[in-house]
Amino acid sequence: MRVLEPWVAAPLAELVRESSARIALLMTSSGQVIGQHGFTRSLDVMAAAALGAGILATTDELARTVGANGGYGAVVHQGAAQGVWLAGFDTPRGRWVALVVFGRESTIGLVRMFFARFAERVAEATPPPVPDREVLAEGFERELDASLRALFGVG
């Protein structure tokens, strides 16, 4: 498990353990990776983060368009060998997104329960927000590279 914010390590480890997650990804609603478990390649992490954030944003907009007050909650797929849970939740630092891939040893109901507890624990552990800075700051690419090196221990 690799995290950029040390205070998310314990809640993310607990979610992975309780839900028997094979893969877990925690990101901001814009796709900035906060922590991950189960990925071996940084390119896979970045692709999953971009797709997950995009899918959830699209689903939220679809819910608004059709008048589904409160949105749809989560995007869920239960396949024969594994399932996917993709959902957003609010933190003091804004809306975050979690992607959980789980196997047959777990169920959507269990993942839903463990995810709700995870979201509460992350929100409780979140330090106060840092001052706003530009979304695409001058050193964005440098910061992205540094984040990927930190997540994957690459020098």
Side-chain angles (χ1 to χ4, degrees), residues 55-106:
I55 290 167
L56 204 56
T58 302
T59 303
D60 289 346
E61 188 57 36
L62 179 61
R64 275 190 289 282
T65 300
V66 299
N69 294 336
Y72 293 124
V75 176
V76 181
H77 172 74
Q78 180 67 58
Q82 60 189 13
V84 176
W85 174 274
L86 176 66
F89 62 101
D90 294 317
T91 75
R93 291 197 177 172
R95 189 128 176 99
W96 283 11
V97 176
L99 169 71
V100 179
V101 177
F102 56 96
R104 290 182 185 170
E105 60 278 358
S106 196

Side-chain angles (χ1 to χ4, degrees), residues 101-137:
V101 177
F102 56 96
R104 290 182 185 170
E105 60 278 358
S106 196
T107 66
I108 292 170
L110 286 174
V111 173
R112 176 184 293 118
M113 180 181 72
F114 295 136
F115 175 80
R117 189 163 45 205
F118 164 76
E120 288 174 8
R121 290 196 173 131
V122 168
E124 290 169 357
T126 304
V130 293
D132 287 342
R133 57 182 207 191
E134 293 181 39
V135 174
L136 290 178

